[in-house]
């Protein structure tokens, strides 16, 4: 195995710095901020890219029939700012919008407002599906993960101040507040490679999953330019610490091979600065591609040799040849997490370590370990003694104290100290932001408990399908409160939709609502307001805005088994 190029965090504070705003971080993490200046770059004649405006870029292509806008950021305000940049270089109207993937499509309404009419929008067929997915059943974990990974709750300055988030300065640019949603669904979709004529310009589409399964590469042969979501300004994030679906490196490598084969003069990314020059693009993109294959190949090699997840994480580091370019550097995530994700993505959570076959409950395990080490005071002393010289061990010990019986505020403060030590020594934005966010939770600076609840968004429920606004309850059911109930409830919305849930055997099974034992009738807005805790089931029944056809008391009692305050009041 090659010698390690760099660990996930330094063993000491030798490379820790304090900037002019009092923010403490690794020198490489601080230096990365300089790459995210806000401006519009002329990539080639008729090709402009706005960088540093938000977490993603907005790209504009001058086509015969008007401007093609690629990606619209995270809000109306962000895209409005991008359009201001565009108007410094051209006054031609936008003729079409194209989405590279579902992450950065939230500002399209700004384009329609400027134009004064609708226009064609092109995207992968899964973009709209993925937008709904992240706001429904998994929204609490998805939202909590965003707060932690992107340091959304961190202050702007001081020791815990947000420095950057690896792919950009911030998740949402503060200058764009209040970040109004402006997503507009695509009017034209694709699922396979195809050739399109957009605004009079030929564009080849090649689906290329990366951090999203709806990502695509767009090739403009007449401009010798490719727009993509493959080569990032950091080592690719196989594992997202916020939690995401498995990103298979084999699929990513295939997309990169296709991108490299285009021999483009210009690569315009979703994140980071564009690249120009065919030879330089081939050299850098090839090394980027090879860094991903290295992690995959070595993970498989050691897995086949019987290594556990922890052993793989300890053994694999990128060779030194990757350290000379920031696009293959740990400025976002870290290799030891990526390789563990690859192993888990291939074979699941059990890695052959006997101790993980039937592990003790976390609290029980912590209690026993603390007792075996000589008691809480002894473990606290060990945490303090090892924090600077053996930080991984200190982190494990401090975590035991917090996740055991009799955990005190001082134990949580101790764990916070260890997490801050790691945050100050890592070049990876995800790790720094996650560790600081958790540290502030444990020491009481910023309580994250509210992010552990499923807070359904009224506006999102109203805009989603009627079925989704009911079927989301499946993952909110407390089976102990439901008991042995067997009840089929239908929903008939006055706008015309009918759907249902059959409560039985501790689950809520989705139905079409036909032949239900009892039917709830109301508007979609009323139901969304109840789930969003803006009103209650009881209040809407009293007002007559919601009616229940049969077995009223049983329906009300059964709905109280769901983790929604509006159904329990």
């Amino acid at each position: 195995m090659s010698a390690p190029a760099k660990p996930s965090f330094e063993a000491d504070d030798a490379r820790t710095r304090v900037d002019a705003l009092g923010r403490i971080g690794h020198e490489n993490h601080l230096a990365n901020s300089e790459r995210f200046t806000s401006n519009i770059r002329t990539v080639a004649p008729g090709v402009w890219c706005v960088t540093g405006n938000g977490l993603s870029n907005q790209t504009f292509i001058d086509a015969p029939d008007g401007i093609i806008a690629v990606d619209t950021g995270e809000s109306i305000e962000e895209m409005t700012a991008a359009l201001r940049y565009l108007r410094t270089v051209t006054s031609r109207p936008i003729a079409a919008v194209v989405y590279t993937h579902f992450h950065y499509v939230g500002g399209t309404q700004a384009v329609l407002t400027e134009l004064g009419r609708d226009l064609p929008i092109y995207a992968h067929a899964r973009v709209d599906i993925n937008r709904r997915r992240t706001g429904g059943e998994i929204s609490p974990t998805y939202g909590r993960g965003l707060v932690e990974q992107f340091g959304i709750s961190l202050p702007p300055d001081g020791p815990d101040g947000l420095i950057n988030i690896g792919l950009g300065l911030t998740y949402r640019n503060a200058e764009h507040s209040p970040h109004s949603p402006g997503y507009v669904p695509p009017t034209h979709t694709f699922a396979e490679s195809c050739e399109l004529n957009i605004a009079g310009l030929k564009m080849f589409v090649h689906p290329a999953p990366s951090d999203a399964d709806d990502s695509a590469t767009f090739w403009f042969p007449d401009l010798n330019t490719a727009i993509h979501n493959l080569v990032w300004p950091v080592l690719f994030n196989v594992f997202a610490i916020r939690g995401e679906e498995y990103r298979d490196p084999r699929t990513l490598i295939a997309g990169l091979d296709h991108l490299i084969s285009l021999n483009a003069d210009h690569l315009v990314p979703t994140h980071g600065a564009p690249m120009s020059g065919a030879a330089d693009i081939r050299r850098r993109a090839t090394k980027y591609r090879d860094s991903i294959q290295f992690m995959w190949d070595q993970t498989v090699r050691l897995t086949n040799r019987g290594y556990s997840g922890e052993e793989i994480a300890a053994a694999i580091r990128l060779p030194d040849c990757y350290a000379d370019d920031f696009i293959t550097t740990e400025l976002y995530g870290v290799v030891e997490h990526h390789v563990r994700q690859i192993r888990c993505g291939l074979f699941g959570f059990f890695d052959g370590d006997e101790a993980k076959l039937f592990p003790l409950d976390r609290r029980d395990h912590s209690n026993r370990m603390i007792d075996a080490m000589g008691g809480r005071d002894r473990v606290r002393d060990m945490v303090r003694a090892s924090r600077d010289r053996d930080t991984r061990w200190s982190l494990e010990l401090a975590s035991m104290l917090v996740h055991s019986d009799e955990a005190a505020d001082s134990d949580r403060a101790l764990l916070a100290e260890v997490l801050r030590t790691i945050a100050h020594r890592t070049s990876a934005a995800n790790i720094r932001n996650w560790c600081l966010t958790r540290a502030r939770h444990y020491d009481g600076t910023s309580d994250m408990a509210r992010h552990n609840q499923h807070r359904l968004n009224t506006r999102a429920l109203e805009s989603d399908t009627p079925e989704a606004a009911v079927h989301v309850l499946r993952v909110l059911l407390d089976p102990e409160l439901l008991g042995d109930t067997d009840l089929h409830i239908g929903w008939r919305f006055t706008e015309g939709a009918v759907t249902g849930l059959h409560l039985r055997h501790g689950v809520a099974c989705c139905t079409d609502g036909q032949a239900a034992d009892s039917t709830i009738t109301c508007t979609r807005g009323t139901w969304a307001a109840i789930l969003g805790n803006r009103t209650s089931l009881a209040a809407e029944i009293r007002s007559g805005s919601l009616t229940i056809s049969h077995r009223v008391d049983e329906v009300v009692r059964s709905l109280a088994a769901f983790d929604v305050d509006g159904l329990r009041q």
Side-chain angles (χ1 to χ4, degrees), residues 125-180:
R126 287 193 56 80
V127 164
D128 205 45
I129 296 170
N130 285 336
R131 288 281 296 184
R132 295 197 302 267
R133 175 182 66 86
T134 58
E137 296 174 358
I138 64 171
S139 60
T141 301
Y142 199 86
R144 182 174 66 246
L146 289 177
V147 171
E148 293 175 328
Q149 175 175 322
F150 293 132
I152 293 172
S153 64
L154 297 181
D157 51 28
D160 293 346
L162 179 69
I163 295 172
N164 64 68
I165 59 172
L167 294 178
L169 289 177
T170 61
Y171 173 61
R172 286 178 173 169
N173 190 332
E175 296 177 1
H176 300 153
S177 181
H179 309 291
S180 306

Side-chain angles (χ1 to χ4, degrees), residues 310-387:
E310 286 82 356
E311 290 169 332
I312 288 171
I316 299 177
R317 292 288 183 272
L318 287 179
D320 290 342
C321 66
Y322 294 103
D324 64 352
D325 194 332
F326 59 84
I327 69 172
T328 50
T329 301
E330 293 178 327
L331 293 169
Y332 196 48
V334 292
V335 171
E336 69 170 278
H337 289 168
H338 301 334
V339 296
R340 292 182 71 171
Q341 180 76 340
I342 291 170
R343 200 217 176 282
C344 187
L346 282 172
F347 299 108
F349 86 95
F350 183 57
D351 60 5
D353 182 346
E354 300 83 358
K356 297 174 186 172
L357 189 58
F358 296 108
L360 292 168
D361 169 78
R362 186 182 193 185
R363 183 173 295 274
D364 189 15
H365 179 267
S366 296
N367 290 335
R368 296 188 190 207
M369 290 296 292
I370 290 170
D371 288 343
M373 292 180 190
R376 304 187 70 82
D377 289 339
R378 169 62 179 153
V379 175
R380 289 167 181 150
D381 290 341
M382 293 169 68
V383 172
R384 297 185 186 99
S386 60
R387 190 187 70 184

Side-chain angles (χ1 to χ4, degrees), residues 69-325:
V70 183
D71 289 337
T72 60
E74 297 175 279
S75 67
I76 292 174
E77 292 81 5
E78 182 176 327
M79 191 59 184
T80 299
L83 291 173
R84 283 197 295 268
Y85 274 120
L86 176 67
R87 295 310 168 210
T88 66
V89 294
T90 180
S91 60
R92 299 194 71 206
I94 292 179
V97 172
V98 178
Y99 298 151
T100 60
H101 63 302
F102 81 98
H103 288 164
Y104 308 107
V105 297
T108 310
Q109 187 58 51
V111 178
L112 304 187
T113 299
E114 182 192 73
L115 191 64
R117 59 177 174 81
D118 292 340
L119 81 178
I121 301 172
Y122 298 82
H124 192 284
R126 287 193 56 80
V127 164
D128 205 45
I129 296 170
N130 285 336
R131 288 281 296 184
R132 295 197 302 267
R133 175 182 66 86
T134 58
E137 296 174 358
I138 64 171
S139 60
T141 301
Y142 199 86
R144 182 174 66 246
L146 289 177
V147 171
E148 293 175 328
Q149 175 175 322
F150 293 132
I152 293 172
S153 64
L154 297 181
D157 51 28
D160 293 346
L162 179 69
I163 295 172
N164 64 68
I165 59 172
L167 294 178
L169 289 177
T170 61
Y171 173 61
R172 286 178 173 169
N173 190 332
E175 296 177 1
H176 300 153
S177 181
H179 309 291
S180 306
Y183 168 65
V184 180
T187 59
H188 300 73
T189 61
F190 51 80
E192 299 178 349
S193 296
C194 59
E195 177 183 342
L196 299 174
N197 185 296
I198 300 182
L201 186 65
K202 183 187 300 183
M203 183 181 86
F204 288 95
V205 174
H206 183 78
S210 57
D211 65 329
D213 63 5
D214 55 16
S215 291
T217 294
F218 304 126
W219 170 236
F220 297 89
D222 295 341
L223 303 172
N224 212 8
T225 297
I227 300 177
H228 64 92
N229 182 35
L230 293 167
V231 181
W232 290 1
V234 293
L235 180 69
F236 181 76
N237 216 36
V238 176
F239 170 74
I241 198 168
R242 68 177 183 267
E244 273 285 2
E245 294 179 343
Y246 178 50
R247 302 167 176 178
D248 192 333
R250 294 169 294 185
T251 304
L252 180 69
I253 290 170
L256 285 164
D257 285 340
H258 167 262
L259 185 67
I260 294 168
S261 74
L262 296 174
N263 200 33
D265 286 333
H266 309 285
L267 292 189
V268 184
T270 300
H271 302 285
M275 293 185 191
S276 292
D280 194 48
I281 286 172
R282 176 172 290 276
R283 177 185 63 80
R284 296 182 71 195
T286 297
K287 182 179 285 189
Y288 183 89
R289 172 227 179 271
D290 290 350
S291 71
I292 297 162
Q293 181 178 332
F294 179 89
M295 290 187 288
W296 163 267
D297 288 352
Q298 293 306 312
T299 300
V300 172
R301 169 176 169 255
L302 296 185
T303 298
N304 287 336
R305 291 177 60 182
Y307 280 48
S308 69
E310 286 82 356
E311 290 169 332
I312 288 171
I316 299 177
R317 292 288 183 272
L318 287 179
D320 290 342
C321 66
Y322 294 103
D324 64 352
D325 194 332

Side-chain angles (χ1 to χ4, degrees), residues 457-506:
N457 183 282
T458 300
R459 183 169 53 196
L461 290 169
E462 287 184 283
S463 63
D464 207 340
T465 65
E467 292 79 10
V470 171
H471 295 170
V472 70
L473 289 175
R474 293 178 302 118
V475 297
L476 291 163
L477 179 62
D478 184 335
E480 293 186 4
L481 293 180
L482 185 65
D484 59 1
T485 295
D486 186 341
L487 180 65
H488 183 192
I489 305 174
W491 276 259
R492 184 178 300 277
F493 295 112
T494 55
E495 294 86 351
V498 179
T499 188
L501 290 172
H502 191 163
L503 312 183
R504 65 179 188 242
H505 304 143

Side-chain angles (χ1 to χ4, degrees), residues 514-530:
Q514 303 299 326
D517 299 318
S518 181
T519 299
I520 294 172
T521 301
C522 64
T523 66
R524 289 186 61 189
T526 295
W527 181 246
I530 292 171

